[in-house]
Amino acid sequence: MIYIHVPFCKRFCIYCDFFSELYSEEEAERFADRVCEEISARSNEIDDRVKTLYFGGGTASVLPLTTLSRILIALDKSGHGGPYTEFTIEANPEDIVERGVNYVRSLCALGMNRLSIGVQSFDDNLLGWMNRRHNAARAVEAVRIAREAGVKNLSIDLIFGLSNLSDEVWEDTLDKAVALRVEHISCYQLTVEGDCALAGMVRDGLYEEASDELCARQYGILCRKLAEAGYHHYEISNFALPGFEAIHNGGYWQRISYAGFGPSAHSFSGKRRSWNSPVLNDYVRTEETLSDEDCAVETIMLALRRDIGIDAPTLEKLCSKEAIDKLIAEGALRKADGRYSIPEDHFFVSDQIIRKLI
Ligand code: SF4
């Protein structure tokens, strides 16, 4: 599993805490030089047992095709080139619409077989408030263009849990998402983190964070609507038409080794975790070795995010019988077919449930 962090955006969303700089062609070329060097220096860390490639960011779709090709050639030279079981590129709707169907066809020709579009909302007021580059019509157009180009596995991201997002607008966004019949939908609750613009707005009294009650209600609406539309709620924040569950992200939840390249990218190999510093081009790497306890906590936290949960012997070995029995009695955990899992109606409070276990 390979992750490439593309640290550029053309505009910054008010809630964003990812590492990203303003896009420029020269910086993108320097970034590609550095990533190609890094791939060649660390190729022995790439584990192809789950053969996926994921370009995230930032905004991966700002990269020129020639720059993207250079990185793919570096992967090829390192012995870890395509075809990949799943090759995802994250894209901003505006990049797809501006660059058109031939751009997406070229991505497909380079081996991309999954496009993840950052839609976030189908409400223009909310998109404007977030400082997104696109509006709702451009998001719909981006999906149309991707289909015209032949993309068979499309994912969109949506955001809920904002104090200025009404239930009606959220329902409308979900209706529009479902109408597009994309194969995969990721829905994230807005959190105000780090020193993003929204955090400043909270400090200045210009934005009040949504209540837990509102977030829980909107999460409930999400679960109901997407179930009605035939989506499989396979992970707390992720829904897929059957057979389109994400393979790359699925690997993270199963603690499969991955190698991350580019500034702020993380890597993992069994007992070692490392991350590049969030600095353009001159980034350095920090490593830590996980203790048995760290590994156990991670295993539980990640496995219980998925609807299939964790196999019973593993959880029983890692947690006390008393804690497990208590959660089962409360309906917060269930056991079926030799596995423990959190029922969907308790997904929203999964953090609290996991805390009781570890
Ligand atoms: S949310 Fe995505 S597009 Fe917006 S600033 Fe962050 S990385 Fe860039």
Side-chain angles (χ1 to χ4, degrees):
M1 287 177 33
I2 304 164
Y3 174 76
I4 313 276
H5 188 83
V6 181
F8 302 109
C9 289
K10 289 188 175 167
R11 201 203 275 195
F12 296 96
C13 310
I14 60 170
Y15 53 83
C16 182
D17 190 36
F18 294 125
F19 173 65
S20 190
E21 301 277 348
L22 194 63
Y23 172 76
S24 81
E25 222 169 282
E26 305 77 60
E27 288 297 350
E29 287 312 304
R30 274 198 279 275
F31 154 79
D33 291 343
R34 177 75 174 91
V35 163
C36 292
E37 277 168 23
E38 198 189 2
I39 288 169
S40 132
R42 294 178 48 212
S43 62
N44 61 332
E45 291 175 33
I46 299 175
D47 182 342
D48 283 330
R49 277 176 296 175
V50 174
K51 200 165 166 56
T52 59
L53 173 61
Y54 195 108
F55 279 82
T59 312
S61 56
V62 297
L63 283 188
L65 286 165
T66 46
T67 314
L68 192 65
S69 304
R70 284 178 54 207
I71 297 173
L72 294 174
I73 291 168
L75 284 168
D76 220 24
K77 280 193 189 149
S78 77
H80 301 278
Y84 300 94
T85 312
E86 186 185 85
F87 173 179
T88 303
I89 294 185
E90 286 183 351
N92 183 292
E94 204 54 37
D95 290 328
I96 296 177
V97 177
E98 276 171 17
R99 299 166 84 175
V101 69
N102 284 339
Y103 164 66
V104 185
R105 282 199 183 115
S106 302
L107 293 179
C108 295
L110 289 173
M112 188 264 312
N113 56 19
R114 183 172 184 267
L115 191 63
S116 175
I117 306 179
V119 171
Q120 316 311 351
S121 174
F122 287 104
D123 180 72
D124 285 345
N125 287 330
L126 205 59
L127 288 167
W129 179 82
M130 291 173 181
N131 201 34
R132 297 289 304 180
R133 278 161 64 206
H134 65 281
N135 61 22
R138 302 284 272 190
V140 173
E141 178 62 3
V143 170
R144 193 200 62 73
I145 288 171
R147 289 300 194 207
E148 190 187 333
V151 179
K152 302 264 183 326
N153 190 353
L154 267 181
S155 180
I156 62 171
D157 286 357
L158 299 174
I159 295 183
F160 69 97
L162 296 86
S163 55
N164 51 352
L165 170 64
S166 67
D167 291 355
E168 291 69 33
V169 169
W170 179 228
E171 294 213 20
D172 182 62
T173 277
L174 290 170
D175 287 340
K176 287 178 173 145
V178 160
L180 292 172
R181 220 56 203 151
V182 289
E183 284 71 26
H184 191 275
I185 303 180
S186 298
C187 295
Y188 299 103
Q189 182 182 324
L190 184 89
T191 50
V192 183
E193 279 169 8
D195 61 355
C196 63
L198 192 57
M201 288 166 68
V202 171
R203 278 195 300 275
D204 296 343
L206 299 171
Y207 176 76
E208 191 179 335
E209 287 188 69
S211 65
D212 286 349
E213 192 197 357
L214 178 140
C215 295
R217 202 173 59 236
Q218 293 188 348
Y219 189 73
I221 293 170
L222 165 69
C223 297
R224 173 175 56 78
K225 281 215 166 265
L226 294 197
E228 283 167 7
Y231 284 86
H232 170 205
H233 191 178
Y234 70 102
E235 195 267 351
I236 291 174
S237 306
N238 288 284
F239 302 77
L241 292 178
F244 288 94
E245 292 81 3
I247 300 170
H248 184 89
N249 286 342
Y252 292 151
W253 304 317
Q254 293 170 75
R255 299 185 80 242
I256 289 170
S257 300
Y258 54 88
F261 302 96
S264 84
H266 286 232
S267 304
F268 170 71
S269 65
K271 291 205 91 181
R272 235 184 46 240
R273 194 168 281 291
S274 64
W275 55 95
N276 291 338
S277 55
V279 182
L280 205 58
N281 303 333
D282 292 325
Y283 49 88
V284 291
R285 192 150 169 240
T286 310
E287 269 190 26
E288 70 174 4
T289 302
L290 301 174
S291 66
D292 290 345
E293 197 189 337
D294 293 334
C295 292
V297 168
E298 269 192 18
T299 300
I300 297 167
M301 284 177 62
L302 294 170
L304 288 176
R305 293 188 63 88
R306 303 196 303 157
D307 68 331
I308 63 163
I310 186 167
D311 67 277
T314 302
L315 194 73
E316 284 161 5
K317 195 171 125 212
L318 299 174
C319 303
S320 79
K321 184 172 179 328
E322 195 191 347
I324 294 173
D325 289 348
K326 194 159 180 285
L327 287 169
I328 287 190
E330 290 168 7
L333 201 63
R334 72 166 164 228
K335 187 179 182 187
D337 303 326
R339 300 184 73 85
Y340 289 102
S341 60
I342 295 177
E344 189 191 29
D345 62 359
H346 281 71
F347 262 175
F348 187 73
V349 289
S350 58
D351 284 352
Q352 293 161 36
I353 296 169
I354 291 164
R355 266 202 298 276
K356 288 179 185 169
L357 282 168
I358 49 185

